[in-house]
Structure formats: structure tokens, C-alpha cells
Amino acid sequence: MSEVEYRQSAFAPPAGATDILLVRHGESAPAVPGKPFDLVGGQGDPELAPAGRVHAERVGHRLAGERLDALYVTNLRRTTETAAPLATRLGLVPQVEKDLREVHLGEFEGGLFRQKVAQNDPVIQRMHSEGRWDVIPGAEPAEALRDRVAGAIGRLAAAHPDERIAVFTHGGVIGEIMSIASGSLPMAFLGASNGSISQIVVTAGRWIVRRFNDTAHLDGGLDEQPAALS
């Protein structure tokens, strides 16, 4: 009589769960001192840089063979431009989820945040040490960011039970989602690379982290470097 064997089983989303792929937009246009980005709702709205368009094409190629039931973008054009190649391949029209737009950076909007990061400005040092964006004057409070991001993910999950969707969003938002899902410190997941893919599975009782900062399609491997917000 043969012995009973119990193999390790592959992960399967629980019934009613929503599988969400979080794609950070491709690299956006460089910030130039004295030439702030156009603003949408008070937030910088740069287009994709040439490298970012390459990121978008590679994301499209990576995900073209996946079953995706819907695509979402934010109201900032770098997400729409990143989603475009995949949307064309799949014949899907991206929907807008405004509440997954980037963290509002207050007085550091319009591209100034990148300059402050490059200069290791004291405010940036405080931001990292305290784990709060709102040490930047006028920036979005941590509690407000968490509430809007959690609310948006909740709405998407309610709209797509037993489905997989791709959401083209921003580095700060991906970090916040991962923090909520894992219970980590607020900025523990800050640094998703442009064009990277992260993944959560949302159930009625919890959010399950499945991957973070997957860059296999970008040819950078483990050396793919993160970039500053905006």
C-alpha cells in the first residue's frame, strides 16, 4: 500500500478575491530648474521620457499574455501613457481611478522634489527619518494618503471579485499599498522602479502581498535602480 503524500500547493486566490497588478509608470521627463512641470489638481504632470516609453512597451509585452479583466490609470498622464501599449494589445480602454494618483508633495511639487532629493535636503532627511510626507510644507498628511489609497483599493476590489486587474499608478502610492498590506513602517516599500510590477490579492479580510518591484521585463535584473517620485 502506497504512502499518502501531501505536496506543497501553489497559491490560488481565495474565492471572491481580486488580484491587482500595480504597475509604476515609466520614467517621466526630467525636471529642469526654473521650468516646473504643468500641474493637474496642483500636482506635477510630466509626460514620459523616451526611456519611459521603452518601459511602457516592455510592460505591454510582459503582460500581453496575462488574463486581465480591466485596466486602470490615474488622472496624471504618465500613467495613461504607460498603459497605452498594453491597452492596445488587449483591446481594453483604461478607466480612471483618481484616488490612486501620486502623493501630493506640497511646496515640492512641479519637479522640485527631485532636486531636493538629489541635494539630500534636510527636509528630505526628516521625511525619511519620520516616515511622513507631510514634513514637506503643504504636503499630503499621512492619514489622508492612507485613507484615499485604501478607499480606492476597496472600490476596485468590490468592482472586480474573482478577477485580475492592472493598475498603472505611482511609486509613493505603491509604497503605501504595500505598507497597508504588510503592516510595515510607512516608507518601507518606497523605491519601486519605473515600469516595475507589484502585486496584491485583496480579500474581504486582508490584503496579501504577492510581489514587489518585479523588473524582469526591463533587462535590469536585480540592478534595476529606483527613481525619485514624479
Side-chain angles (χ1 to χ4, degrees):
M1 184 174 179
S2 62
E3 294 182 350
V4 176
E5 294 182 338
Y6 297 93
R7 296 184 59 188
Q8 290 185 312
S9 57
F11 176 84
T18 306
D19 192 351
I20 304 179
L21 301 180
L22 302 163
V23 183
R24 188 183 178 195
H25 62 80
E27 181 181 341
S28 56
V32 178
K35 297 180 179 180
F37 298 139
D38 293 337
L39 300 180
V40 169
Q43 290 184 274
D45 189 34
E47 64 182 352
L48 289 184
R53 299 190 184 279
V54 174
H55 292 151
E57 291 292 342
R58 291 183 177 177
V59 168
H61 181 75
R62 172 82 182 274
L63 297 180
E66 298 292 331
R67 178 187 64 81
L68 291 170
D69 298 288
L71 304 181
Y72 284 85
V73 296
T74 74
N75 62 326
L76 299 174
R77 61 181 169 176
R78 53 196 182 274
T79 63
T80 302
E81 292 174 352
T82 305
L86 180 61
T88 297
R89 286 172 180 261
L90 299 182
L92 293 174
V93 177
Q95 303 174 60
V96 175
E97 176 45 75
K98 183 179 178 182
D99 279 349
L100 292 179
R101 67 192 179 278
E102 186 57 287
V103 180
H104 196 293
L105 299 172
E107 292 183 12
F108 286 4
E109 275 293 352
L112 183 58
F113 179 83
R114 295 189 197 176
Q115 179 178 328
K116 297 294 187 180
V117 169
Q119 296 169 343
N120 196 26
D121 187 274
V123 173
I124 298 298
Q125 294 179 38
R126 277 192 58 210
M127 181 194 79
H128 286 295
S129 65
E130 297 181 24
R132 299 182 66 94
W133 299 99
D134 54 0
V135 300
I136 300 171
E140 187 169 10
E143 294 79 8
L145 172 65
R146 179 151 295 208
D147 286 348
R148 75 166 167 92
V149 167
I153 293 296
R155 287 193 298 274
L156 294 184
H160 297 281
D162 295 312
E163 293 184 344
R164 170 180 278 180
I165 63 176
V167 177
F168 290 76
T169 184
H170 307 265
V173 168
I174 292 170
E176 187 67 23
I177 291 170
M178 290 291 156
S179 174
I180 295 171
S182 67
S184 75
L185 293 173
M187 291 186 175
F189 288 90
L190 190 61
S193 299
N194 292 114
S196 65
I197 300 170
S198 299
Q199 182 181 17
I200 60 169
V201 172
V202 179
T203 73
R206 60 178 176 149
W207 299 5
I208 304 167
V209 175
R210 293 290 293 151
R211 77 182 68 208
F212 173 68
N213 200 44
D214 181 344
T215 59
H217 51 292
L218 301 180
D219 294 338
L222 294 177
D223 295 325
E224 188 70 29
Q225 295 298 308
L229 298 186
S230 298

